[in-house]
Amino acid sequence: MKAVRVHGYKQAPSVDEIAQPDLQDHDDVIVRVGGSGVCRTDLHIVDGWFADIMPVEPPFTLGHETAGWVEAVGRNVTNVAVGDPVIVHPLRTCGVCWGCRHGEDMYCSVSTFPGVNTDGGYAEYLRTSGRSLLVLPEDVAPADVAPHADAGLTAYRAVRKAVAILQPGQTIAVLGVGGLGHIGIQLLRAMTPARIVAIDPSPTGQELARELGADVVLGGDEAIEGTLHATGGLGADVVLDFVGENGTPGVAIEIVRQGGTYLVVGYGGELDIPTMALVLKEVTIAGNLVGNYGDFSELMALVGDGKVKLHTSTYPLEAAAQALDDLDNGRVKGRAVLIPNAR
Amino acid sequence: MKAVRVHGYKQAPSVDEIAQPDLQDHDDVIVRVGGSGVCRTDLHIVDGWFADIMPVEPPFTLGHETAGWVEAVGRNVTNVAVGDPVIVHPLRTCGVCWGCRHGEDMYCSVSTFPGVNTDGGYAEYLRTSGRSLLVLPEDVAPADVAPHADAGLTAYRAVRKAVAILQPGQTIAVLGVGGLGHIGIQLLRAMTPARIVAIDPSPTGQELARELGADVVLGGDEAIEGTLHATGGLGADVVLDFVGENGTPGVAIEIVRQGGTYLVVGYGGELDIPTMALVLKEVTIAGNLVGNYGDFSELMALVGDGKVKLHTSTYPLEAAAQALDDLDNGRVKGRAVLIPNAR
Amino acid sequence: MKAVRVHGYKQAPSVDEIAQPDLQDHDDVIVRVGGSGVCRTDLHIVDGWFADIMPVEPPFTLGHETAGWVEAVGRNVTNVAVGDPVIVHPLRTCGVCWGCRHGEDMYCSVSTFPGVNTDGGYAEYLRTSGRSLLVLPEDVAPADVAPHADAGLTAYRAVRKAVAILQPGQTIAVLGVGGLGHIGIQLLRAMTPARIVAIDPSPTGQELARELGADVVLGGDEAIEGTLHATGGLGADVVLDFVGENGTPGVAIEIVRQGGTYLVVGYGGELDIPTMALVLKEVTIAGNLVGNYGDFSELMALVGDGKVKLHTSTYPLEAAAQALDDLDNGRVKGRAVLIPNAR
Amino acid sequence: MKAVRVHGYKQAPSVDEIAQPDLQDHDDVIVRVGGSGVCRTDLHIVDGWFADIMPVEPPFTLGHETAGWVEAVGRNVTNVAVGDPVIVHPLRTCGVCWGCRHGEDMYCSVSTFPGVNTDGGYAEYLRTSGRSLLVLPEDVAPADVAPHADAGLTAYRAVRKAVAILQPGQTIAVLGVGGLGHIGIQLLRAMTPARIVAIDPSPTGQELARELGADVVLGGDEAIEGTLHATGGLGADVVLDFVGENGTPGVAIEIVRQGGTYLVVGYGGELDIPTMALVLKEVTIAGNLVGNYGDFSELMALVGDGKVKLHTSTYPLEAAAQALDDLDNGRVKGRAVLIPNAR
């Protein structure tokens, strides 16, 4: 089968012909890939950012946003059947460690991360386990939702924390209306009646925020003054940062209210804050990793109910290099998705 | 009456003879002061740290850790009566703003802070309101508990958050076993069966931690390795930082487990963390201000039940300058308390 | 001024001419009444149901759903000003007892309940306190929202508990689509993407539920089978019972899922359940009183944002007897509201 | 091997010689049984109470409180190794259904319950899965802790809910100081500084409660008056009912405070309450099933730390009938434990 593989860091991945994966364990499932999301993290992987954090011996297949159809199942698999349309949780987990037993799959002490430290979904077929699979709601096509496996799931986890805090009449400020941000605003709109202040430096992002129903839309320069004005000078009850660099942490601390919460999703920059400011403002700052399986199933319920829509641009599997290059140069509208199998 | 007053920043406060406060409002209460805690914040106030944050026109009376007996009450006061032994919440609050209505007195939008931006408790009498007063449990003397009004209450608020997270078998690391830390460890011991790792550079602090029942006691150099060893390499579920300077924020981020919580109480230093670390570790960082009235009443219930004991050194009111100097030079054993009225 | 007063139980209240209330305390506020909701509880009060629970010496003025404009304020009142349009929380509370300090106004140990055990809002003017008043959002008229002071607030409190439990993809079953139920469904629609199964025996109630956006609408006979069918046989994650009599508690226990929650708002009937069923199903059952001030302000934020609309039928104050009779005989469309002052 | 088996309801189980279980699945584990708790539920099983709820074709082996040593493991088992001392969670679960994914093993949609609907631990060997096993803390012997697998775990789950509610200065009333109650009081003493009122009709139970550190101990007749007296007339913040019959639900509703919580663990009786009382008191009532795996590991951490001790009386496996008879007739001191293998 065809697979897009990394042979060395800082060099373009190549389309290779390799053996199709087979069932090796009673928990294994083979997925015929119908869509594979192209994520900014893939660029970072190629650049070697994760080489030390999650080491892997190249070559390996990229792709951690995978959806498709079940091709084959091991004898112990009970939650999916051959032919089911499925989406794949980004981690393959053990089910018995502390993290797994508490429902926090991302903390699994022996997980693998296909596309990062083992073969992923930029391929015609993917080997995973039953635990990682979620059957798609009716009328939902794999290629249309693949990016939810990481982008959507990460946005969902942070939004879920925000929603648990926000009460009617309160305000959330969203920093960044791009790939994750446009999902985040839809999720907020579906899950809370709180007011949404969306902040993005680009007119495109601002326009998108308006379309998705943000109550107030601000450019980067207006972020601090505009948010304070929209909240009667108090600041936002929650700040949700999909950027995490280019100064957004400093802005976030300025615009969060006393006793408020700053949720960090994007990364790349630095948070620098005097402990005295942390204490006097009594602010809570929380990092957000990709979501767990419960988060994943809740997100897919919203997708099935038509409450979140992804904007995607599709590419054949062989055009992966083009898709990555387009992403790197800001030429992708919505999320790029590779299509290894049409159906 | 006598009162210890600040006449200008960076100059020693003086013992003045001023008029005794009287009832001016139906909610007012006059407290005959039985004990007034001497706090490191008082040194910062004299040095002018709060001149911009909470402005006040000198002269004003110091003292924000006050306990005593009710001397007189306005006609609308229902929760205390003349003669009651009481402790005074550090803020005088309105009762009707958003913060007050939600039980978070510290967020009162029109509060005053006696001893910081209005006359405080380094005096024979203090004017406050019924809302700020809590009747002491039986057999508890004002002079023995005055420092709980700030030091104890601040430690309690952070410990309460920690206890809500910690489950049996989990671990909390406590940074700093001084004025607040020694209260914090007692509170933890009373409120959770989780394991306590206490970290302090001084042998005195380490010895105190052992006496109070910490499960593991470490010096500053052993903090990281020792905590990881005590938690099977995972890190502490909660880190409670009573220092907040001299590098503790960096240590805290190292020793907190993935998905864990870092509670910041002490201040003076800086927290610098890449957003990528926040995200990958999915850590939550929360500042902690002094507690609300609910926290205060819970703390006093524990004091009444004999579960928290303060070590105090007493001084006459006239010796306030000596007490502040002793504190500044590390010569106070436990907390210093001024005694304006013996009973 | 005119006031509608109870002179004895089980006899019609009369329209009396009595003295207009004046300011007696520094916290007092006089409200010129713009709308006074007519509630089923008023019928129960006239019938003497509350004579033992909240005793009062007749005559007294009915009315616990009051909105209007501030006519006069005592000198300590800071949160409202003369001329403000306001809605009145049903209880007058002290602000310093355990309940008040924890934000749960309904648990105030010395509260009065105007319209139940002291003079209420079926009158041209009402004496209350600043603590009980909430300034209305712009463009919201007192007469249009008065019933929210009890009906809306009670529905809100229960819905808020439900929303804190419900996740996307989960299901709430609502029993009763009448006065409270039609508010409840609107609140749910605004606050959660969970699926709503609405159950009501009357075609009118069913039709209303459909208009308000319930996902599944069932008649009384279909309640059990229909809910189980709509939830894949599992049962509803939350059951919200606005009826509380005529067998709904038994139905609720049947249709709630294992580990689910049954929220009781309506009353009049009996809940009978073997402890073995409670244990094996591990169900949680929670009664719901009228909401606190925080709930009230959140509800009003939703009203101001246009997310909840009341259907009302207005009557002059003098027609109170007619309004009560219409209510008793099912002739009121929406909620009846008396109009003591047009503006 | 020897096993104690039910051949028909309402007839004494017999000691049979049957084949030793072997590994059949990659997840299977064989446990050499070191202790098997004898529980009141076993009497109910023999009497056929569960014949309809969890049907099984006799003969089957009793025993759902099992601990021992790992004898053999399937190839996929990663969390235990041959020789490990282990305790067995009462349910064998799938790991992938909604309940399992959310950490609530008891809600597993395809679980089996050894000793109830498949062969249990009244035997020399038990077949289970890795998911059901927890390695014991050092120095903890299987026979000393086996009853924790059900009795301790059930008490723990309810206590954990209570502890999450209780604040310092609040009060919990415990109904019943027998098998579960004496564990419950120890857990409360370890996990909360709240005050404990223990209620039991027997002088033995009362004496035990005093030894374990209850703050107030009452006989059955004094329950209502005594609890109200101990709480200044307010009632207990939480009532924890280990009896659930003989009138305790009615007592619980009387002694729980407004806004309080009634946790039901014991069963056999009926809860009858007017919905009006539920609403006016705004009480929450929650059933409690056996705990999940997270609960189990937390309980075992407390056991390992020496904070909970079981009183046990041991019997050889062959004396199971005697143990059951002793239990049925109130002749067991503490919990009865069968010892199929001494080590």
Side-chain angles (χ1 to χ4, degrees):
Chain A
M1 68 166 191
K2 289 197 173 58
V4 180
R5 315 197 92 200
V6 172
H7 288 264
Y9 297 120
K10 297 187 200 297
Q11 70 185 65
S14 60
V15 182
D16 299 355
E17 186 68 34
I18 60 168
Q20 186 173 323
D22 56 353
L23 296 171
Q24 298 189 345
D25 193 278
H26 290 179
D27 296 323
D28 278 355
V29 177
I30 306 299
V31 174
R32 191 165 82 263
V33 181
S36 196
V38 179
C39 174
R40 189 159 294 275
T41 297
D42 293 327
L43 295 171
H44 299 331
I45 291 167
V46 172
D47 282 349
W49 286 31
F50 293 84
D52 293 334
I53 305 172
M54 286 181 259
V56 55
E57 193 65 37
F60 64 97
T61 306
L62 282 171
H64 58 276
E65 295 184 341
T66 311
W69 300 270
V70 173
E71 178 77 10
V73 300
R75 81 167 213 205
N76 279 358
V77 173
T78 56
N79 63 327
V80 296
V82 172
D84 281 350
V86 290
I87 186 164
V88 188
H89 189 275
L91 295 185
R92 177 167 184 163
T93 57
C94 76
V96 293
C97 70
W98 187 93
C100 285
R101 287 311 278 253
H102 286 78
E104 295 294 12
D105 311 81
M106 311 87 63
Y107 301 162
C108 175
S109 56
V110 294
S111 67
T112 54
F113 196 162
V116 182
N117 65 10
T118 185
D119 287 337
Y122 278 27
E124 292 177 74
Y125 294 90
L126 171 79
R127 178 169 49 228
T128 180
S129 71
R131 272 185 70 75
S132 298
L133 295 176
L134 188 67
V135 177
L136 290 173
E138 268 184 68
D139 301 324
V140 171
D144 292 343
V145 295
H148 279 311
D150 179 18
L153 183 53
T154 300
Y156 182 79
R157 183 167 179 86
V159 166
R160 191 189 207 275
K161 286 190 202 171
V163 167
I165 296 166
L166 290 164
Q167 297 307 334
Q170 292 194 315
T171 299
I172 180 167
V174 178
L175 290 161
V177 192
L180 267 73
H182 91 284
I183 304 174
I185 292 176
Q186 292 179 72
L187 291 169
L188 286 166
R189 203 67 301 167
M191 293 171 74
T192 174
R195 290 148 194 172
I196 303 172
V197 174
I199 300 162
D200 196 280
S202 84
T204 320
Q206 291 164 28
E207 177 58 26
L208 184 55
R210 267 183 218 100
E211 281 169 24
L212 298 175
D215 297 285
V216 175
V217 178
L218 301 171
D221 293 347
E222 313 160 295
I224 295 175
E225 199 183 0
T227 305
L228 292 177
H229 180 261
T231 55
L234 290 175
D237 300 277
V238 179
V239 178
L240 177 47
D241 184 357
F242 289 115
V243 181
E245 56 182 341
N246 303 327
T248 59
V251 171
I253 296 296
E254 288 288 322
I255 65 177
V256 71
R257 71 171 285 166
Q258 191 183 35
T261 302
Y262 168 33
L263 299 172
V264 185
V265 179
Y267 56 88
E270 180 104 8
L271 170 73
D272 302 309
I273 182 173
T275 48
M276 192 174 179
L278 265 174
V279 166
L280 286 181
K281 211 162 186 176
E282 205 173 43
V283 70
T284 296
I285 301 168
N288 289 276
L289 208 47
V290 72
N292 61 33
Y293 190 91
D295 297 328
F296 204 26
S297 60
E298 291 162 22
L299 170 61
M300 284 300 126
L302 290 171
V303 169
D305 288 352
K307 296 193 170 154
V308 199
K309 286 184 200 326
L310 278 176
H311 298 258
T312 57
S313 302
T314 59
Y315 295 78
L317 179 61
E318 293 80 359
Q322 182 64 47
L324 286 165
D325 194 60
D326 285 355
L327 177 62
D328 204 13
N329 291 284
R331 289 188 303 259
V332 178
K333 206 169 135 67
R335 299 286 291 190
V337 177
L338 308 179
I339 310 290
N341 295 282
R343 46 167 292 168
Chain B
M1 69 168 189
K2 290 199 173 59
V4 179
R5 316 197 91 199
V6 172
H7 288 265
Y9 298 120
K10 297 187 199 297
Q11 70 186 64
S14 61
V15 182
D16 299 355
E17 186 68 34
I18 61 169
Q20 185 173 322
D22 56 353
L23 295 172
Q24 298 189 345
D25 193 278
H26 290 178
D27 296 323
D28 278 355
V29 177
I30 305 300
V31 174
R32 192 166 83 260
V33 181
S36 196
V38 179
C39 174
R40 189 159 295 276
T41 296
D42 293 327
L43 296 171
H44 299 331
I45 291 166
V46 172
D47 282 348
W49 286 31
F50 292 86
D52 293 333
I53 306 173
M54 286 181 261
V56 56
E57 193 66 37
F60 65 96
T61 307
L62 282 172
H64 58 275
E65 296 184 340
T66 311
W69 301 269
V70 173
E71 177 78 9
V73 301
R75 81 168 212 205
N76 279 358
V77 173
T78 57
N79 63 326
V80 296
V82 171
D84 280 349
V86 291
I87 186 164
V88 188
H89 188 275
L91 296 185
R92 177 167 184 162
T93 58
C94 76
V96 292
C97 69
W98 187 92
C100 284
R101 287 312 276 253
H102 286 77
E104 296 293 11
D105 312 81
M106 310 86 63
Y107 301 163
C108 176
S109 55
V110 294
S111 67
T112 54
F113 196 161
V116 181
N117 64 9
T118 186
D119 287 337
Y122 279 27
E124 291 177 74
Y125 294 90
L126 171 79
R127 178 169 48 227
T128 181
S129 71
R131 272 185 68 75
S132 298
L133 295 177
L134 188 68
V135 177
L136 289 174
E138 268 183 69
D139 302 323
V140 170
D144 292 342
V145 294
H148 279 310
D150 179 18
L153 185 52
T154 300
Y156 182 80
R157 183 167 178 86
V159 165
R160 193 189 206 275
K161 288 190 200 171
V163 167
I165 296 166
L166 290 164
Q167 298 306 334
Q170 292 194 316
T171 299
I172 180 167
V174 178
L175 290 161
V177 192
L180 268 72
H182 91 283
I183 303 174
I185 292 177
Q186 292 179 72
L187 291 170
L188 286 167
R189 205 65 304 166
M191 294 170 74
T192 174
R195 290 148 196 172
I196 302 171
V197 174
I199 300 163
D200 196 281
S202 84
T204 319
Q206 293 165 26
E207 178 57 26
L208 184 54
R210 265 182 220 103
E211 280 169 26
L212 298 174
D215 298 284
V216 175
V217 178
L218 301 169
D221 294 346
E222 313 161 293
I224 295 176
E225 198 183 1
T227 304
L228 292 177
H229 180 261
T231 56
L234 290 176
D237 300 278
V238 179
V239 178
L240 178 46
D241 183 358
F242 289 114
V243 181
E245 57 183 341
N246 303 326
T248 59
V251 171
I253 296 296
E254 288 288 322
I255 64 177
V256 70
R257 68 170 286 165
Q258 192 184 33
T261 301
Y262 168 33
L263 299 172
V264 185
V265 179
Y267 57 87
E270 181 103 7
L271 170 72
D272 302 309
I273 181 172
T275 48
M276 192 172 179
L278 266 173
V279 166
L280 287 180
K281 211 163 186 176
E282 205 172 44
V283 70
T284 296
I285 302 169
N288 290 276
L289 207 49
V290 73
N292 61 33
Y293 190 90
D295 297 328
F296 205 26
S297 61
E298 291 163 22
L299 170 61
M300 283 301 126
L302 290 171
V303 169
D305 288 351
K307 296 192 171 157
V308 199
K309 286 186 201 322
L310 279 175
H311 298 256
T312 57
S313 302
T314 60
Y315 295 78
L317 179 61
E318 294 79 359
Q322 183 64 49
L324 286 165
D325 194 62
D326 285 354
L327 176 62
D328 204 13
N329 291 282
R331 289 189 302 260
V332 177
K333 205 167 136 67
R335 300 285 292 189
V337 178
L338 307 178
I339 310 290
N341 294 283
R343 48 166 292 167
Chain C
M1 69 167 190
K2 290 198 172 58
V4 180
R5 315 198 92 200
V6 172
H7 288 266
Y9 297 119
K10 297 187 199 297
Q11 70 185 66
S14 60
V15 182
D16 299 355
E17 187 67 35
I18 62 168
Q20 186 174 322
D22 56 354
L23 296 172
Q24 299 190 345
D25 193 278
H26 289 179
D27 296 323
D28 278 355
V29 177
I30 305 300
V31 174
R32 191 165 84 261
V33 181
S36 195
V38 179
C39 173
R40 189 159 294 275
T41 296
D42 293 328
L43 295 171
H44 299 330
I45 291 166
V46 172
D47 282 349
W49 285 31
F50 292 85
D52 293 335
I53 304 172
M54 286 181 260
V56 55
E57 193 66 37
F60 65 96
T61 306
L62 281 172
H64 57 277
E65 295 183 341
T66 311
W69 301 270
V70 173
E71 177 77 10
V73 301
R75 81 167 214 206
N76 280 358
V77 173
T78 57
N79 63 327
V80 296
V82 171
D84 280 349
V86 290
I87 186 163
V88 188
H89 188 276
L91 295 185
R92 177 167 185 163
T93 58
C94 75
V96 293
C97 69
W98 187 93
C100 285
R101 287 312 277 254
H102 286 79
E104 295 294 12
D105 312 80
M106 312 87 62
Y107 302 162
C108 174
S109 56
V110 295
S111 67
T112 55
F113 197 163
V116 182
N117 65 10
T118 186
D119 288 337
Y122 278 26
E124 292 178 72
Y125 294 90
L126 171 78
R127 178 169 49 227
T128 180
S129 70
R131 272 186 70 75
S132 298
L133 295 176
L134 189 67
V135 177
L136 289 174
E138 269 184 67
D139 301 323
V140 170
D144 291 342
V145 294
H148 279 310
D150 180 18
L153 184 52
T154 301
Y156 182 80
R157 183 167 179 87
V159 166
R160 192 189 208 275
K161 287 190 201 171
V163 167
I165 297 166
L166 289 163
Q167 299 306 334
Q170 292 194 315
T171 299
I172 180 166
V174 178
L175 289 161
V177 191
L180 269 71
H182 91 284
I183 303 174
I185 293 177
Q186 292 180 72
L187 291 170
L188 286 167
R189 204 67 302 169
M191 294 171 73
T192 174
R195 290 148 195 171
I196 302 172
V197 174
I199 301 162
D200 196 281
S202 84
T204 320
Q206 293 165 26
E207 177 57 26
L208 185 54
R210 267 184 218 100
E211 281 169 25
L212 298 174
D215 298 284
V216 175
V217 178
L218 301 170
D221 294 346
E222 312 160 293
I224 295 175
E225 198 183 0
T227 305
L228 292 177
H229 180 261
T231 55
L234 290 175
D237 300 278
V238 179
V239 178
L240 177 47
D241 184 358
F242 289 115
V243 182
E245 56 183 341
N246 303 325
T248 59
V251 171
I253 297 296
E254 288 289 321
I255 65 177
V256 70
R257 70 171 286 166
Q258 192 184 34
T261 302
Y262 169 34
L263 299 172
V264 185
V265 180
Y267 57 89
E270 180 103 8
L271 169 72
D272 302 309
I273 180 171
T275 49
M276 192 174 179
L278 265 174
V279 166
L280 287 181
K281 211 163 186 175
E282 204 172 43
V283 70
T284 297
I285 301 168
N288 290 276
L289 209 47
V290 72
N292 61 33
Y293 191 90
D295 297 329
F296 204 26
S297 59
E298 291 163 22
L299 170 62
M300 283 300 125
L302 290 170
V303 169
D305 289 351
K307 295 192 171 156
V308 199
K309 286 185 200 325
L310 278 175
H311 299 257
T312 57
S313 303
T314 60
Y315 295 77
L317 178 62
E318 294 79 358
Q322 183 65 48
L324 286 165
D325 194 59
D326 285 355
L327 176 62
D328 205 12
N329 290 283
R331 289 189 303 260
V332 178
K333 206 169 136 68
R335 299 285 292 191
V337 178
L338 307 178
I339 310 289
N341 295 283
R343 46 167 292 167
Chain D
M1 70 168 188
K2 290 198 172 58
V4 180
R5 315 198 90 201
V6 172
H7 288 265
Y9 298 120
K10 296 188 200 298
Q11 71 186 66
S14 61
V15 182
D16 299 355
E17 187 69 34
I18 61 169
Q20 186 173 323
D22 57 354
L23 296 171
Q24 297 190 346
D25 193 278
H26 290 177
D27 296 323
D28 278 355
V29 177
I30 305 300
V31 173
R32 190 165 84 261
V33 180
S36 196
V38 179
C39 174
R40 189 158 295 275
T41 296
D42 293 326
L43 295 171
H44 299 331
I45 291 167
V46 172
D47 282 349
W49 285 32
F50 292 85
D52 293 334
I53 306 172
M54 286 181 259
V56 56
E57 193 66 36
F60 64 97
T61 307
L62 281 172
H64 57 276
E65 295 184 340
T66 311
W69 302 268
V70 174
E71 178 76 10
V73 300
R75 82 167 213 206
N76 279 358
V77 173
T78 57
N79 63 326
V80 296
V82 171
D84 280 350
V86 290
I87 186 163
V88 188
H89 188 276
L91 295 185
R92 177 167 184 162
T93 58
C94 75
V96 292
C97 70
W98 186 92
C100 284
R101 287 313 276 254
H102 286 79
E104 294 294 10
D105 311 81
M106 311 85 63
Y107 300 163
C108 175
S109 56
V110 294
S111 67
T112 54
F113 196 161
V116 182
N117 65 9
T118 186
D119 287 337
Y122 279 27
E124 291 178 74
Y125 295 91
L126 171 79
R127 178 168 49 228
T128 181
S129 71
R131 271 186 69 74
S132 298
L133 295 177
L134 188 69
V135 177
L136 289 174
E138 268 183 69
D139 302 324
V140 170
D144 292 342
V145 294
H148 279 311
D150 179 18
L153 184 53
T154 300
Y156 182 79
R157 182 167 179 87
V159 166
R160 192 188 207 274
K161 287 190 202 171
V163 167
I165 296 167
L166 290 163
Q167 298 306 334
Q170 292 194 316
T171 299
I172 180 167
V174 178
L175 290 161
V177 191
L180 268 72
H182 91 284
I183 303 174
I185 292 176
Q186 292 179 71
L187 290 170
L188 286 167
R189 204 66 304 166
M191 293 171 74
T192 174
R195 290 148 195 171
I196 302 171
V197 175
I199 301 162
D200 196 280
S202 83
T204 320
Q206 292 165 26
E207 177 58 26
L208 184 54
R210 264 182 221 103
E211 281 169 25
L212 298 174
D215 298 286
V216 175
V217 178
L218 302 170
D221 294 347
E222 313 160 293
I224 295 175
E225 197 182 3
T227 304
L228 292 177
H229 181 260
T231 56
L234 291 175
D237 300 276
V238 179
V239 178
L240 177 46
D241 183 356
F242 289 114
V243 181
E245 58 182 340
N246 303 325
T248 60
V251 171
I253 296 296
E254 288 288 322
I255 65 177
V256 70
R257 69 171 286 166
Q258 192 185 33
T261 302
Y262 169 34
L263 299 171
V264 185
V265 179
Y267 57 88
E270 180 103 8
L271 169 73
D272 302 310
I273 181 172
T275 48
M276 191 172 180
L278 265 174
V279 166
L280 287 181
K281 211 164 185 175
E282 205 173 43
V283 70
T284 296
I285 301 169
N288 291 276
L289 208 47
V290 73
N292 61 33
Y293 190 91
D295 297 328
F296 205 27
S297 60
E298 291 162 22
L299 170 61
M300 283 300 125
L302 290 170
V303 169
D305 288 351
K307 295 192 172 157
V308 198
K309 288 187 199 323
L310 279 176
H311 298 256
T312 58
S313 303
T314 59
Y315 295 77
L317 178 61
E318 294 80 358
Q322 183 63 48
L324 286 164
D325 194 61
D326 285 355
L327 176 62
D328 204 13
N329 291 283
R331 288 188 304 259
V332 178
K333 205 167 137 67
R335 300 285 292 189
V337 178
L338 307 179
I339 310 290
N341 295 282
R343 45 166 294 166

